[in-house]
PDB file of all heavy atoms in Angstrom:
ATOM      1  N   ILE A 201      93.586 -31.981 -51.549  1.00 98.00           N
ATOM      2  CA  ILE A 201      93.538 -33.312 -52.170  1.00 98.00           C
ATOM      3  C   ILE A 201      94.049 -33.245 -53.614  1.00 98.00           C
ATOM      4  O   ILE A 201      94.833 -34.088 -54.051  1.00 98.00           O
ATOM      5  CB  ILE A 201      92.108 -33.897 -52.089  1.00 98.00           C
ATOM      6  CG1 ILE A 201      91.776 -34.252 -50.626  1.00 98.00           C
ATOM      7  CG2 ILE A 201      91.958 -35.136 -52.981  1.00 98.00           C
ATOM      8  CD1 ILE A 201      90.319 -34.590 -50.366  1.00 98.00           C
ATOM      9  N   GLN A 202      93.640 -32.211 -54.339  1.00 98.00           N
ATOM     10  CA  GLN A 202      94.086 -32.083 -55.737  1.00 98.00           C
ATOM     11  C   GLN A 202      95.597 -31.847 -55.824  1.00 98.00           C
ATOM     12  O   GLN A 202      96.259 -32.377 -56.723  1.00 98.00           O
ATOM     13  CB  GLN A 202      93.318 -30.953 -56.439  1.00 98.00           C
ATOM     14  CG  GLN A 202      93.460 -30.977 -57.960  1.00 98.00           C
ATOM     15  CD  GLN A 202      93.002 -32.303 -58.556  1.00 98.00           C
ATOM     16  OE1 GLN A 202      91.890 -32.757 -58.314  1.00 98.00           O
ATOM     17  NE2 GLN A 202      93.883 -32.973 -59.312  1.00 98.00           N
ATOM     18  N   ASN A 203      96.126 -31.074 -54.858  1.00 98.00           N
ATOM     19  CA  ASN A 203      97.575 -30.840 -54.807  1.00 98.00           C
ATOM     20  C   ASN A 203      98.345 -32.143 -54.716  1.00 98.00           C
ATOM     21  O   ASN A 203      99.303 -32.371 -55.457  1.00 98.00           O
ATOM     22  CB  ASN A 203      97.930 -29.991 -53.578  1.00 98.00           C
ATOM     23  CG  ASN A 203      98.011 -28.526 -53.946  1.00 98.00           C
ATOM     24  OD1 ASN A 203      98.249 -28.192 -55.106  1.00 98.00           O
ATOM     25  ND2 ASN A 203      97.799 -27.668 -52.963  1.00 98.00           N
ATOM     26  N   ILE A 204      97.911 -32.985 -53.796  1.00 98.00           N
ATOM     27  CA  ILE A 204      98.589 -34.279 -53.604  1.00 98.00           C
ATOM     28  C   ILE A 204      98.434 -35.127 -54.862  1.00 98.00           C
ATOM     29  O   ILE A 204      99.395 -35.746 -55.340  1.00 98.00           O
ATOM     30  CB  ILE A 204      98.004 -35.011 -52.373  1.00 98.00           C
ATOM     31  CG1 ILE A 204      98.274 -34.200 -51.108  1.00 98.00           C
ATOM     32  CG2 ILE A 204      98.583 -36.424 -52.256  1.00 98.00           C
ATOM     33  CD1 ILE A 204      97.458 -34.633 -49.908  1.00 98.00           C
ATOM     34  N   ALA A 205      97.237 -35.130 -55.427  1.00 98.00           N
ATOM     35  CA  ALA A 205      96.982 -35.932 -56.630  1.00 98.00           C
ATOM     36  C   ALA A 205      97.888 -35.474 -57.770  1.00 98.00           C
ATOM     37  O   ALA A 205      98.421 -36.295 -58.527  1.00 98.00           O
ATOM     38  CB  ALA A 205      95.514 -35.820 -57.028  1.00 98.00           C
ATOM     39  N   ASP A 206      98.075 -34.173 -57.887  1.00 98.00           N
ATOM     40  CA  ASP A 206      98.927 -33.637 -58.958  1.00 98.00           C
ATOM     41  C   ASP A 206     100.381 -34.046 -58.758  1.00 98.00           C
ATOM     42  O   ASP A 206     101.063 -34.439 -59.712  1.00 98.00           O
ATOM     43  CB  ASP A 206      98.817 -32.104 -59.007  1.00 98.00           C
ATOM     44  CG  ASP A 206      97.457 -31.647 -59.530  1.00 98.00           C
ATOM     45  OD1 ASP A 206      96.747 -32.482 -60.130  1.00 98.00           O
ATOM     46  OD2 ASP A 206      97.107 -30.463 -59.324  1.00 98.00           O
ATOM     47  N   ILE A 207     100.847 -33.949 -57.527  1.00 98.00           N
ATOM     48  CA  ILE A 207     102.253 -34.279 -57.243  1.00 98.00           C
ATOM     49  C   ILE A 207     102.530 -35.756 -57.549  1.00 98.00           C
ATOM     50  O   ILE A 207     103.546 -36.099 -58.139  1.00 98.00           O
ATOM     51  CB  ILE A 207     102.591 -33.958 -55.764  1.00 98.00           C
ATOM     52  CG1 ILE A 207     102.554 -32.441 -55.531  1.00 98.00           C
ATOM     53  CG2 ILE A 207     103.973 -34.527 -55.382  1.00 98.00           C
ATOM     54  CD1 ILE A 207     102.598 -32.032 -54.071  1.00 98.00           C
ATOM     55  N   TYR A 208     101.613 -36.632 -57.152  1.00 98.00           N
ATOM     56  CA  TYR A 208     101.852 -38.080 -57.284  1.00 98.00           C
ATOM     57  C   TYR A 208     101.158 -38.683 -58.509  1.00 98.00           C
ATOM     58  O   TYR A 208     101.134 -39.898 -58.657  1.00 98.00           O
ATOM     59  CB  TYR A 208     101.407 -38.806 -55.998  1.00 98.00           C
ATOM     60  CG  TYR A 208     102.275 -38.459 -54.817  1.00 98.00           C
ATOM     61  CD1 TYR A 208     101.960 -37.381 -53.996  1.00 98.00           C
ATOM     62  CD2 TYR A 208     103.431 -39.190 -54.543  1.00 98.00           C
ATOM     63  CE1 TYR A 208     102.760 -37.040 -52.921  1.00 98.00           C
ATOM     64  CE2 TYR A 208     104.240 -38.857 -53.467  1.00 98.00           C
ATOM     65  CZ  TYR A 208     103.900 -37.780 -52.662  1.00 98.00           C
ATOM     66  OH  TYR A 208     104.714 -37.448 -51.606  1.00 98.00           O
ATOM     67  N   ASN A 209     100.569 -37.837 -59.338  1.00 98.00           N
ATOM     68  CA  ASN A 209      99.908 -38.305 -60.547  1.00 98.00           C
ATOM     69  C   ASN A 209      98.804 -39.330 -60.241  1.00 98.00           C
ATOM     70  O   ASN A 209      98.779 -40.434 -60.800  1.00 98.00           O
ATOM     71  CB  ASN A 209     100.957 -38.886 -61.510  1.00 98.00           C
ATOM     72  CG  ASN A 209     100.394 -39.101 -62.889  1.00 98.00           C
ATOM     73  OD1 ASN A 209      99.429 -38.436 -63.280  1.00 98.00           O
ATOM     74  ND2 ASN A 209     100.964 -40.042 -63.623  1.00 98.00           N
ATOM     75  N   LEU A 210      97.931 -38.964 -59.317  1.00 98.00           N
ATOM     76  CA  LEU A 210      96.827 -39.845 -58.929  1.00 98.00           C
ATOM     77  C   LEU A 210      95.503 -39.294 -59.458  1.00 98.00           C
ATOM     78  O   LEU A 210      95.335 -38.077 -59.601  1.00 98.00           O
ATOM     79  CB  LEU A 210      96.738 -39.942 -57.394  1.00 98.00           C
ATOM     80  CG  LEU A 210      98.009 -40.347 -56.649  1.00 98.00           C
ATOM     81  CD1 LEU A 210      97.764 -40.301 -55.135  1.00 98.00           C
ATOM     82  CD2 LEU A 210      98.470 -41.748 -57.077  1.00 98.00           C
ATOM     83  N   LYS A 211      94.551 -40.187 -59.752  1.00 98.00           N
ATOM     84  CA  LYS A 211      93.196 -39.762 -60.088  1.00 98.00           C
ATOM     85  C   LYS A 211      92.435 -39.464 -58.791  1.00 98.00           C
ATOM     86  O   LYS A 211      92.761 -40.023 -57.735  1.00 98.00           O
ATOM     87  CB  LYS A 211      92.454 -40.869 -60.836  1.00 98.00           C
ATOM     88  CG  LYS A 211      93.160 -41.354 -62.084  1.00 98.00           C
ATOM     89  CD  LYS A 211      92.998 -40.368 -63.205  1.00 98.00           C
ATOM     90  CE  LYS A 211      93.532 -40.957 -64.510  1.00 98.00           C
ATOM     91  NZ  LYS A 211      93.800 -39.918 -65.492  1.00 98.00           N
ATOM     92  N   VAL A 212      91.418 -38.613 -58.890  1.00 98.00           N
ATOM     93  CA  VAL A 212      90.548 -38.348 -57.738  1.00 98.00           C
ATOM     94  C   VAL A 212      89.099 -38.601 -58.151  1.00 98.00           C
ATOM     95  O   VAL A 212      88.606 -37.984 -59.104  1.00 98.00           O
ATOM     96  CB  VAL A 212      90.686 -36.900 -57.225  1.00 98.00           C
ATOM     97  CG1 VAL A 212      89.793 -36.675 -56.011  1.00 98.00           C
ATOM     98  CG2 VAL A 212      92.134 -36.580 -56.888  1.00 98.00           C
ATOM     99  N   ILE A 213      88.463 -39.543 -57.477  1.00 98.00           N
ATOM    100  CA  ILE A 213      87.038 -39.810 -57.713  1.00 98.00           C
ATOM    101  C   ILE A 213      86.305 -39.516 -56.408  1.00 98.00           C
ATOM    102  O   ILE A 213      86.531 -40.188 -55.398  1.00 98.00           O
ATOM    103  CB  ILE A 213      86.788 -41.275 -58.132  1.00 98.00           C
ATOM    104  CG1 ILE A 213      87.530 -41.582 -59.436  1.00 98.00           C
ATOM    105  CG2 ILE A 213      85.284 -41.540 -58.274  1.00 98.00           C
ATOM    106  CD1 ILE A 213      87.447 -43.039 -59.867  1.00 98.00           C
ATOM    107  N   TYR A 214      85.451 -38.494 -56.432  1.00 98.00           N
ATOM    108  CA  TYR A 214      84.682 -38.160 -55.227  1.00 98.00           C
ATOM    109  C   TYR A 214      83.409 -38.987 -55.152  1.00 98.00           C
ATOM    110  O   TYR A 214      82.642 -39.054 -56.114  1.00 98.00           O
ATOM    111  CB  TYR A 214      84.307 -36.671 -55.222  1.00 98.00           C
ATOM    112  CG  TYR A 214      85.455 -35.792 -54.799  1.00 98.00           C
ATOM    113  CD1 TYR A 214      86.182 -35.073 -55.736  1.00 98.00           C
ATOM    114  CD2 TYR A 214      85.831 -35.711 -53.463  1.00 98.00           C
ATOM    115  CE1 TYR A 214      87.254 -34.283 -55.355  1.00 98.00           C
ATOM    116  CE2 TYR A 214      86.903 -34.925 -53.070  1.00 98.00           C
ATOM    117  CZ  TYR A 214      87.602 -34.211 -54.011  1.00 98.00           C
ATOM    118  OH  TYR A 214      88.668 -33.445 -53.617  1.00 98.00           O
ATOM    119  N   ASP A 215      83.190 -39.609 -54.001  1.00 98.00           N
ATOM    120  CA  ASP A 215      81.885 -40.171 -53.684  1.00 98.00           C
ATOM    121  C   ASP A 215      81.075 -39.003 -53.120  1.00 98.00           C
ATOM    122  O   ASP A 215      81.249 -38.615 -51.959  1.00 98.00           O
ATOM    123  CB  ASP A 215      82.016 -41.306 -52.670  1.00 98.00           C
ATOM    124  CG  ASP A 215      80.671 -41.923 -52.308  1.00 98.00           C
ATOM    125  OD1 ASP A 215      79.634 -41.267 -52.542  1.00 98.00           O
ATOM    126  OD2 ASP A 215      80.653 -43.049 -51.779  1.00 98.00           O
ATOM    127  N   ALA A 216      80.230 -38.431 -53.979  1.00 98.00           N
ATOM    128  CA  ALA A 216      79.443 -37.249 -53.604  1.00 98.00           C
ATOM    129  C   ALA A 216      77.990 -37.634 -53.311  1.00 98.00           C
ATOM    130  O   ALA A 216      77.075 -36.827 -53.487  1.00 98.00           O
ATOM    131  CB  ALA A 216      79.526 -36.199 -54.706  1.00 98.00           C
ATOM    132  N   ALA A 217      77.794 -38.870 -52.859  1.00 98.00           N
ATOM    133  CA  ALA A 217      76.435 -39.376 -52.607  1.00 98.00           C
ATOM    134  C   ALA A 217      75.665 -38.528 -51.596  1.00 98.00           C
ATOM    135  O   ALA A 217      74.436 -38.490 -51.624  1.00 98.00           O
ATOM    136  CB  ALA A 217      76.489 -40.832 -52.136  1.00 98.00           C
TER     137      ALA A 217
END
Side-chain angles (χ1 to χ4, degrees):
I201 290 169
Q202 194 57 54
N203 265 336
I204 297 165
D206 289 344
I207 292 169
Y208 293 90
N209 193 25
L210 306 176
K211 304 284 188 199
V212 181
I213 299 175
Y214 281 103
D215 180 341

